[in-house]
């Protein structure tokens, strides 16, 4: 969500700062909105987090071309890191406990 917000802010920059304009401008606004929506859906609907995180990664990578180099790399990196963390997030499993195995005593056979 932070990456999408940052990319939307760079789209509002002055024309001297913007690197891409024209037909890509609509896609430049749609992809960050998709990133924000996927971020919200990951939080609100955790069982479907894998699908949403994959869509968010693809949208983040697409902003490289369409949105001022992914919001001047900051939004791109925030989107990739957040999506990767969401992909590895396991909200539906209990925390793992480390099992400590007691050392077994071996008897010496004579």
């Amino acid at each position: 969500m932070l990456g999408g917000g940052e990319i939307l802010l760079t789209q509002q920059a002055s024309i001297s700062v913007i690197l891409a304009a024209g037909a890509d401008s609509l896609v430049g606004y749609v992809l960050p909105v998709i990133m924000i929506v996927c971020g919200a859906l990951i939080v609100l609907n955790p069982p479907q987090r894998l699908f949403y995180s994959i869509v968010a990664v693809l949208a983040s990578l697409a902003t490289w071309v369409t949105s001022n180099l992914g919001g001047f790399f900051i939004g791109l990196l925030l989107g990739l890191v957040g999506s990767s963390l969401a992909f590895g997030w396991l909200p539906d499993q209990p925390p793992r406990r480390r099992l400590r195995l007691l050392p077994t005593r071996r008897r010496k056979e004579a």
Side-chain angles (χ1 to χ4, degrees), residues 37-109:
V37 168
C38 284
L41 288 173
I42 286 170
V43 174
L44 297 174
N45 191 8
Q48 298 295 323
R49 71 189 182 282
L50 297 177
F51 174 73
Y52 297 137
S53 64
I54 290 172
V55 171
V57 163
L58 294 176
S60 297
L61 290 174
T63 61
W64 172 262
V65 178
T66 61
S67 301
N68 297 327
L69 299 175
F72 302 114
F73 302 110
I74 297 169
L76 173 71
L77 291 176
L78 285 172
L80 289 177
V81 169
S83 300
S84 300
L85 288 173
F87 190 82
W89 179 38
L90 300 173
D92 52 351
Q93 293 183 0
R96 295 182 184 175
R97 291 185 180 179
R98 292 187 182 187
L99 296 175
R100 287 189 174 180
L101 298 176
L102 297 175
T104 58
R105 297 181 184 174
R106 294 186 181 180
R107 295 183 200 174
K108 291 186 179 181
E109 295 181 16

Side-chain angles (χ1 to χ4, degrees), residues 1-64:
M1 290 173 59
L2 289 175
E6 197 275 332
I7 293 171
L8 279 175
L9 286 176
T10 61
Q11 288 292 330
Q12 300 297 324
S14 67
I15 195 67
S16 62
V17 177
I18 293 178
L19 300 175
D24 292 336
S25 295
L26 179 63
V27 177
Y29 288 107
V30 170
L31 288 175
V33 170
I34 290 174
M35 291 170 61
I36 292 171
V37 168
C38 284
L41 288 173
I42 286 170
V43 174
L44 297 174
N45 191 8
Q48 298 295 323
R49 71 189 182 282
L50 297 177
F51 174 73
Y52 297 137
S53 64
I54 290 172
V55 171
V57 163
L58 294 176
S60 297
L61 290 174
T63 61
W64 172 262

